């Protein structure tokens, strides 16, 4: 069965965006060591999962060949099939992307049951918090930036009780970001 990996940038205090979705706190430029790490992380991935709001900026940004990105990364992002989770879109306005609406658990469990490589979810915040709340992820990859926001869009949703994760690996990078690879502890 395919795994669903979630990769998300976060502040030290657990936010993936400022109160108005600001992302100016993220650490850039990245260094070669984090780029190599992320290339290895995506090596088993053959499908990208995005929420609609993120897809509206993410897909066109990669199609334009963003400055500072190498051609291999640009090609991978553009050529990897995408599933956009949305109940408001009925068809995809983007190349190499399909829209899936309805019950999130059914959509993701259906994708995981298909043959192929792993799935990588990048977000946005509604998708991220719903994936975590519904315990749909198999691997959580937090890119912890050395900044605190005090308020904003939380990575972790409010849930009844608590969720436990097991640390698989932690790795600091020259740019100041630390990657935490976690897996849910399921009983």
């Amino acid at each position: 069965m395919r795994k669903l990996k979630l990769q998300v940038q976060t502040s030290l205090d657990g936010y993936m965006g400022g109160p108005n979705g600001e992302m100016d706190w993220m650490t850039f430029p990245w260094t070669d060591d984090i780029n190599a790490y992320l290339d290895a992380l995506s090596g088993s991935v053959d499908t990208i999962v995005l929420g609609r709001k993120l897809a509206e900026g993410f897909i066109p940004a990669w199609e334009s060949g963003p400055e500072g990105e190498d051609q291999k990364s640009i090609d991978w992002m553009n050529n990897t099939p995408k599933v956009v989770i949305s109940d408001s879109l009925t068809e995809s306005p983007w190349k190499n992307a399909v829209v899936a609406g309805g019950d999130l658990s059914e959509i993701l469990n259906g994708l995981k049951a298909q043959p192929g490589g792993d799935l990588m979810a990048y977000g946005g915040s509604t998708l991220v918090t719903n994936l975590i709340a519904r315990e749909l992820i198999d691997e959580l990859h937090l890119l912890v930036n050395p900044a605190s926001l005090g308020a904003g869009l939380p990575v972790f949703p409010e849930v009844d009780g608590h969720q436990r994760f097991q640390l698989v690996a932690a790795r600091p990078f020259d740019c100041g970001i630390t990657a935490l690879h976690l897996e849910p502890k399921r009983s």
Side-chain angles (χ1 to χ4, degrees):
M1 179 168 291
R2 302 163 90 181
K3 289 183 184 178
L4 175 60
K5 300 176 180 185
L6 173 60
Q7 178 187 317
V8 63
Q9 293 226 29
T10 180
S11 64
L12 289 169
D13 50 352
Y15 296 103
M16 68 178 86
N20 297 306
E22 304 90 345
M23 301 180 109
D24 57 349
W25 52 271
M26 291 182 180
T27 301
F28 288 107
W30 284 354
T31 46
D32 290 342
D33 56 346
I34 193 170
N35 287 327
Y37 175 85
L38 295 174
D39 285 347
L41 178 62
S42 64
S44 66
V45 173
D46 70 3
T47 304
I48 295 171
V49 179
L50 304 165
R52 179 195 50 86
K53 290 178 188 174
L54 180 64
E56 289 173 344
F58 183 95
I59 295 172
W62 281 102
E63 286 177 346
S64 71
E67 188 177 322
E69 295 292 342
D70 62 72
Q71 194 59 49
K72 180 181 173 193
S73 296
I74 292 169
D75 291 345
W76 186 84
M77 285 292 191
N78 287 323
N79 295 333
T80 302
K82 293 158 198 67
V83 176
V84 178
I85 307 297
S86 175
D87 287 327
S88 62
L89 291 176
T90 55
E91 60 184 51
S92 172
W94 307 286
K95 294 180 283 184
N96 207 22
V98 297
V99 173
D103 182 82
L104 184 62
S105 297
E106 287 180 18
I107 293 167
L108 268 295
N109 287 329
L111 288 170
K112 288 165 80 172
Q114 292 176 4
D118 292 331
L119 309 160
M120 177 72 81
Y122 291 115
S125 70
T126 300
L127 178 61
V128 167
T129 55
N130 279 315
L131 291 173
I132 294 171
R134 296 177 189 200
E135 299 183 2
L136 294 171
I137 61 167
D138 299 298
E139 295 181 10
L140 177 57
H141 298 272
L142 295 176
L143 301 180
V144 183
N145 287 253
S148 66
L149 304 182
L153 303 171
V155 172
F156 295 95
E158 291 185 29
V159 293
D160 293 333
H162 58 275
Q163 294 181 358
R164 294 192 183 275
F165 294 86
Q166 174 179 317
L167 179 65
V168 175
R171 180 161 174 207
F173 298 101
D174 294 339
C175 61
I177 292 174
T178 299
L180 299 179
H181 173 184
L182 303 148
E183 292 181 355
K185 281 181 125 177
R186 297 191 172 115
S187 38

